Amino acid sequence: MTSVVSSSLEPAPLHDIDPPIPISLYPAWIAPLAILGILVLAALFFCSRKLSFPKRKQLVNPKNAALEALAVLHSHIEVLSPHDFGVEVSALLRRYIQDEYGLRATTQTSVEFLVSIRDSPIFSSEEKIILGKFLEMADLLKFSRRDARRDETSSLLLQAEQLIYMRNRGIAL
């Protein structure tokens, strides 16, 4: 047998080496998606904490609010006219009574309010008398615009303070 070597056979041309083929456990688009997911979860976590735990408002105790307002009023007693003082001190005590006991003290006239509490067990008979005198004096200052001496306005302020303090201790005046 004769072997025939063909001269037409030339060696195959050499090509450049291909770069390495990346072998990954996950596709390339997973990493940005995972980062985005983590950011969304973190945002939801912080937003839900903010929504589920809003800052608690300090509940205002009607007694403390009224006493603070009386202290402010006391510091302005010299500069307020008797009329303005009567309006302020009356509104303050009425707002306290309304907030503390749920009575319509701010929407009624003095006479209507005193009639509405006549048979009420909330106030003792002594307290009702003091409330009547307080409201009468405040109305005189508000509506007749009469002049008041410093001791009268101080007395009115003291009556309001006493009513607030004594009502919260359960002590009848």
Side-chain angles (χ1 to χ4, degrees):
M1 277 201 133
T2 58
S3 81
V4 178
V5 176
S6 146
S7 64
S8 67
L9 289 173
E10 292 184 16
L14 293 175
H15 297 287
D16 284 339
I17 299 174
D18 286 335
I21 299 172
I23 299 177
S24 175
L25 299 176
Y26 54 87
W29 56 268
I30 294 279
L33 185 63
I35 291 171
L36 181 64
I38 290 170
L39 290 174
V40 167
L41 288 175
L44 287 173
F45 174 75
F46 287 113
C47 287
S48 69
R49 286 186 54 97
K50 199 172 221 178
L51 293 176
S52 64
F53 299 111
K55 290 183 180 178
R56 293 182 182 172
K57 291 184 179 177
Q58 189 77 353
L59 294 179
V60 178
N61 179 345
K63 173 190 170 190
N64 292 341
L67 291 174
E68 286 175 18
L70 279 174
V72 170
L73 188 60
H74 184 53
S75 68
H76 292 95
I77 200 167
E78 294 291 331
V79 295
L80 289 173
S81 69
H83 169 264
D84 291 341
F85 176 80
V87 169
E88 290 295 321
V89 74
S90 176
L92 196 148
L93 187 64
R94 287 171 179 266
R95 190 172 34 249
Y96 162 73
I97 291 170
Q98 181 166 311
D99 292 346
E100 185 72 23
Y101 304 105
L103 301 173
R104 294 182 24 219
T106 60
T107 59
Q108 295 176 320
T109 66
S110 296
V111 173
E112 289 171 336
F113 173 70
L114 291 171
V115 167
S116 73
I117 65 166
R118 185 180 353 191
D119 298 326
S120 173
I122 294 175
F123 299 101
S124 69
S125 56
E126 292 87 1
E127 289 171 321
K128 291 173 189 173
I129 291 169
I130 291 174
L131 267 170
K133 289 179 181 177
F134 172 87
L135 292 172
E136 180 182 354
M137 179 62 168
D139 286 350
L140 279 173
L141 294 177
K142 290 188 317 188
F143 301 118
S144 70
R145 294 192 183 258
R146 78 172 190 83
D147 242 359
R149 295 185 317 269
R150 165 98 165 115
D151 62 327
E152 290 176 318
T153 55
S154 294
S155 172
L156 204 55
L157 195 62
L158 183 63
Q159 287 175 3
E161 287 175 353
Q162 286 175 337
L163 282 166
I164 293 169
Y165 274 120
M166 300 239 177
R167 286 301 310 157
N168 280 281
R169 291 188 189 145
I171 300 171
L173 294 174

